[in-house]
Amino acid sequence: MNKTRFGCRALMCLLLVAVTSVAGARELKLGLIVPGSHAWSKAAETFGEDLEKQSDGEYSVAVFPAGQLGSEAQMLQQLQTGALDMAFMTAAEVANRVPDMGALFAPYLAENVMEADQLLNGATAQALLEELPRKAGVVGLGYGVAGMRLMLTAFPAEDVQAINDHKIRITPFPPVQDFYRLLGAVSTPMPVTDVYDALANGQVDGVDADLELVWKLRLYERAKTVLRSNHMMFPVLGLISARTWSQLDQDDRDLIRTLTRTRLAELAPYYQKSQAETQAEIEAKNVKVIEVGPDFFGDKLDQWEELWMKKTPVLGELRGEAAEL
Ligand code: BEZ
């Protein structure tokens, strides 16, 4: 064989290998409700880069932030049918399918994001993941956190009575609905994507959110007061469609689970550090940030507790674990 023919054959072989590996590569679609600038979206992007690298290009991940694929309820349906492979989704949405998960939102269950992360890696929260395939058609790969919850108000709010009768945007799911009902607010369920406009046009006059949302969605532009109450944790779940999961071998499952958990675990230290910086940025915009604790809510917290102790035994188990931290 002359040199030219050998060169051509080698090139053909290389091309064939390249084409085969591209054809063999699998792209996983991953959806989120939060904007691309949000820490959850960044975690999803870096997870995708990790997976592509560590699977030697066998997998790639296409990330769709900002509700491009629909609401979280719609994404959960897509995961169920296999139309969507993965999501980093609020535990709030998943709690609509797995009601016991609502106990994770007990007021002052965790004092801060690091405690929240510890609880989410504890026996009770991990056991809740086992229920997901049967109840929601998804596999729960692991938890992460968002910032601790606060209340932003477009009216002056120095005490809890000030919330009474005001329209407060909430993430739509039972524990938070109960919380604001007990506070006497008119809770207005709404996905995070709609909050800025709703606040701007007066559809709501307060928002249950966290510091990152107040800053990145520019909600501070409409704020009189930010009550930094840290009243709840707000977990995110790394989810994969049970259909997609069933097509993966054990090595690929282990790799996807490990890489997802690694990136989600970075969220708690990230928020631990960034929350104070974000608060300073918001204060520099002349918004009054008032730090309040459980006392601010008076007997409302006991009322919530009584209600939820009847709803699920998981709350007592989580309180027990929290007491050990
Ligand atoms: C919310 O509904 O408030 C929310 C959604 C996603 C991430 C953080 C908060």
Side-chain angles (χ1 to χ4, degrees):
M1 193 186 307
N2 68 33
K3 267 192 186 165
T4 321
R5 281 183 63 193
F6 178 78
C8 283
R9 277 203 180 183
L11 192 63
M12 294 277 284
C13 279
L14 272 175
L15 278 174
L16 197 63
V17 169
V19 168
T20 318
S21 64
V22 167
R26 176 158 188 184
E27 184 183 78
L28 300 177
K29 277 167 61 180
L30 190 160
L32 303 109
I33 195 72
V34 289
S37 60
H38 192 275
W40 295 1
S41 299
K42 300 221 165 105
E45 292 286 354
T46 43
F47 156 73
E49 288 160 17
D50 295 344
L51 183 61
E52 189 158 358
K53 211 177 288 164
Q54 296 207 28
S55 68
D56 291 327
E58 194 185 329
Y59 290 95
S60 63
V61 178
V63 176
F64 296 89
Q68 286 175 54
L69 302 179
S71 66
E72 286 198 321
Q74 287 165 329
M75 282 193 269
L76 200 48
Q77 271 173 359
Q78 293 161 16
L79 287 168
Q80 233 166 343
T81 62
L84 176 63
D85 299 296
M86 293 186 72
F88 284 3
M89 183 175 287
T90 64
E93 183 58 46
V94 181
N96 286 326
R97 303 287 185 96
V98 184
D100 284 348
M101 207 167 252
L104 295 172
F105 298 85
Y108 296 103
L109 179 62
E111 260 185 41
N112 53 50
V113 285
M114 297 308 285
E115 268 195 25
D117 197 55
Q118 273 180 276
L119 271 177
L120 293 169
N121 284 298
T124 307
Q126 292 292 313
L128 289 171
L129 297 180
E130 304 299 319
E131 296 183 32
L132 299 188
R134 193 169 52 84
K135 293 193 173 159
V138 294
V139 173
L141 300 170
Y143 294 97
V145 295
M148 299 299 287
R149 300 304 274 187
L150 53 74
M151 289 175 211
L152 172 146
T153 59
F155 52 91
E158 310 259 325
D159 54 37
V160 75
Q161 284 77 24
I163 313 284
N164 215 25
D165 284 340
H166 277 291
K167 290 171 287 172
I168 307 287
R169 173 270 164 175
I170 60 160
T171 317
F173 73 124
V176 172
Q177 274 157 349
D178 287 339
F179 185 73
Y180 281 93
R181 184 177 47 73
L182 290 168
L183 295 188
V186 182
S187 60
T188 310
M190 185 181 297
V192 72
T193 41
D194 299 347
V195 174
Y196 182 87
D197 287 346
L199 202 54
N201 66 27
Q203 191 187 342
V204 295
D205 36 25
V207 174
D208 184 273
D210 64 22
L211 285 167
E212 184 179 25
L213 296 181
V214 172
W215 183 246
K216 291 186 177 161
L217 298 181
R218 301 197 331 274
L219 305 182
Y220 60 82
E221 290 176 1
R222 305 282 161 181
K224 276 261 178 336
T225 312
V226 169
L227 289 170
R228 192 170 173 200
S229 46
N230 294 327
H231 58 274
M232 284 176 194
M233 63 158 110
F234 205 81
V236 54
L237 278 160
L239 301 177
I240 187 162
S241 158
R243 287 204 173 198
T244 304
W245 194 246
S246 68
Q247 294 155 9
L248 304 178
D249 67 27
Q250 194 57 48
D251 285 348
D252 290 351
R253 288 180 178 184
D254 290 345
L255 182 63
I256 289 171
R257 192 195 297 275
T258 303
L259 296 179
T260 302
R261 289 179 82 99
T262 302
R263 291 302 176 185
L264 292 179
E266 289 171 352
L267 290 168
Y270 163 76
Y271 284 109
Q272 170 81 347
K273 185 165 175 290
S274 66
Q275 284 180 134
E277 292 157 17
T278 310
Q279 176 168 335
E281 284 173 313
I282 293 166
E283 283 170 326
K285 296 285 180 188
N286 288 327
V287 175
K288 190 167 178 186
V289 179
I290 307 175
E291 300 198 16
V292 298
D295 290 349
F296 178 82
F297 297 100
D299 64 353
K300 305 299 180 193
L301 301 184
D302 289 341
Q303 292 176 27
W304 191 97
E305 195 77 7
E306 199 184 330
L307 186 65
W308 272 78
M309 278 291 181
K310 286 187 205 133
K311 287 195 184 189
T312 170
V314 169
L315 177 56
E317 292 164 29
L318 286 170
R319 289 278 184 211
E321 282 181 34
E324 300 294 317
L325 295 179

